[in-house]
Amino acid sequence: MNQYDFHHLDHVKEQNTSKKTLWITLTLTLFFTIVEIVGGLVSNSLALLSDSAHMISDVLALGLSMVAIYMATRKPNRKYTFGFLRFEIIASFLNGLALAIIAAGIFVEGIKRIVHPQTVDMPIMLTIASIGLVVNVVLTIVLSRSMKEEDNLNVKSALWHFIGDLLSSVGIIVSAIVIHFTGFFLLDPLISMVVGAIIFTGGSRIIRESYLVLMESVPDKFDLDAIRQDLNDLDIVVDVHELHLWAVTTEHYSLTAHVFVKQGIEPFCAILAINEILKNKYGIEHSTIQIEHPILHDHGEYGKAFMLRQA
């Protein structure tokens, strides 16, 4: 679609590193998911089956993340004026929710196995878990390196999936060894429930981060009061109000503000000075500043109080 409007800041994200990382991760995950499902069914291990269920969610989550990355490259149009960047956050929220639901399912099944213990085939369980450990170590390293190059909540949610998988593989190996020497089969569901708790923790963090973006809260990296004070400290600025700051997606911030300036100051000069401090000090490149005067723009009691202070 041809560009229909001019935007000072291009509302797209070209995430080549994240895209390549997710493709590699998706391919390896899909392969090992099939291996783990077969191994879990043959060995009758809840730890393996719960991990394979988590791996299925990984495949779906990675697929959703890939869609989000491709959506983020689409240009804005007359309906979606911010482009499709927010889809990345929606995908992250769904991924976090999937983690939490999987963790709950593991807990429920673990309790059932504690009440009704079942035997497991330890050699198969140990073999599959060892392969899984290698795969998950590789994927965790790949995703961690990608996070250092490009901050992406989708990659972060995928990373939490694989941290859970990595810990699950370690837990399964420990469980298989202990069961082999002690015959304590209850360790299988107990290890699964511990991993479930870790998965739930990661999921809840992703849900919280994406929820805060969807609610257009001020990003944690910014202090809105400090920004307001810096703008008020400009010689030409008398008052800053209607100040809003939010993230469209990770590392893509927008700010709007209404400003009273000193008499005789050209509005364009005020906007230029404000934009300079926002860009240079805070890295905020997408801002909309409205220059006002309480005589011309009704501000109710706030405007009357301001005029009295200026008298």
Side-chain angles (χ1 to χ4, degrees):
M1 181 180 293
N2 292 329
Q3 185 175 359
Y4 82 100
D5 194 13
F6 174 75
H7 292 265
H8 286 283
L9 184 64
D10 205 8
H11 300 292
V12 297
K13 288 177 75 174
E14 293 291 343
Q15 304 166 98
N16 293 324
T17 300
S18 297
K19 192 182 299 181
K20 180 181 178 181
T21 298
L22 288 176
W23 270 120
I24 294 171
T25 307
L26 179 59
T27 303
L28 288 174
T29 304
L30 183 59
F31 168 75
F32 184 67
T33 299
I34 296 171
V35 173
E36 198 165 44
I37 290 173
V38 174
L41 291 173
V42 173
S43 67
N44 195 35
S45 168
L46 175 60
L48 277 180
L49 289 174
S50 63
D51 192 54
S52 67
H54 185 208
M55 294 294 282
I56 292 172
S57 81
D58 289 344
V59 173
L60 296 176
L62 289 168
L64 190 59
S65 296
M66 290 299 303
V67 173
I69 282 182
Y70 281 104
M71 290 285 282
T73 63
R74 295 180 61 182
K75 296 282 187 180
N77 57 38
R78 59 178 50 86
K79 185 174 179 65
Y80 299 99
T81 57
F82 275 105
F84 296 83
L85 297 174
R86 186 56 64 85
F87 191 83
E88 173 186 308
I89 306 302
I90 295 172
S92 298
F93 182 84
L94 293 175
N95 284 340
L97 195 61
L99 284 168
I101 292 172
I102 288 166
I106 291 173
F107 267 100
V108 171
E109 190 61 31
I111 292 170
K112 289 180 180 178
R113 286 285 183 110
I114 291 174
V115 176
H116 304 290
Q118 298 184 27
T119 59
V120 296
D121 189 321
M122 287 163 295
I124 295 178
M125 177 181 173
L126 185 59
T127 301
I128 300 297
S130 299
I131 297 172
L133 178 62
V134 174
V135 172
N136 288 316
V137 166
V138 171
L139 294 180
T140 300
I141 292 173
V142 169
L143 289 168
S144 297
R145 288 180 177 176
S146 177
M147 280 294 299
K148 291 179 181 178
E149 294 187 36
E150 294 177 353
D151 187 10
N152 186 308
L153 191 56
N154 263 316
V155 175
K156 186 183 290 186
S157 64
L159 178 59
W160 264 107
H161 275 275
F162 289 104
I163 288 174
D165 288 339
L166 176 60
L167 293 172
S168 182
S169 296
V170 172
I172 293 168
I173 292 171
V174 172
S175 174
I177 294 172
V178 174
I179 290 172
H180 176 72
F181 288 105
T182 66
F184 186 59
F185 289 101
L186 284 179
L187 191 62
D188 182 52
L190 289 174
I191 289 290
S192 297
M193 293 172 74
V194 171
V195 172
I198 296 170
I199 293 171
F200 184 84
T201 300
S204 63
R205 289 184 181 181
I206 297 299
I207 289 172
R208 179 184 178 276
E209 287 187 48
S210 53
Y211 166 80
L212 290 174
V213 176
L214 292 173
M215 289 299 293
E216 298 189 340
S217 65
V218 176
D220 291 338
K221 67 183 291 184
F222 297 113
D223 182 339
L224 198 64
D225 291 333
I227 294 175
R228 187 192 305 275
Q229 188 60 52
D230 282 340
L231 298 184
N232 276 318
D233 286 344
L234 291 170
D235 290 337
I236 59 177
V237 173
V238 181
D239 180 77
V240 178
H241 53 278
E242 280 289 338
L243 181 60
H244 300 281
L245 173 59
W246 70 99
V248 178
T249 188
T250 48
E251 299 299 315
H252 194 107
Y253 308 109
S254 290
L255 179 145
T256 63
H258 293 188
V259 180
F260 294 156
V261 297
K262 291 182 179 179
Q263 291 186 1
I265 298 298
E266 284 287 341
F268 300 118
C269 294
I271 292 172
L272 179 62
I274 291 170
N275 282 337
E276 282 296 312
I277 195 169
L278 290 175
K279 179 179 179 180
N280 295 332
K281 185 171 183 178
Y282 295 102
I284 301 172
E285 299 186 41
H286 190 259
S287 58
T288 303
I289 310 301
Q290 180 171 312
I291 305 299
E292 300 179 324
H293 195 285
I295 295 178
L296 302 176
H297 302 87
D298 183 23
H299 283 74
E301 294 300 321
Y302 183 88
K304 292 176 184 177
F306 173 81
M307 293 300 293
L308 286 174
R309 290 196 302 270
Q310 299 302 305

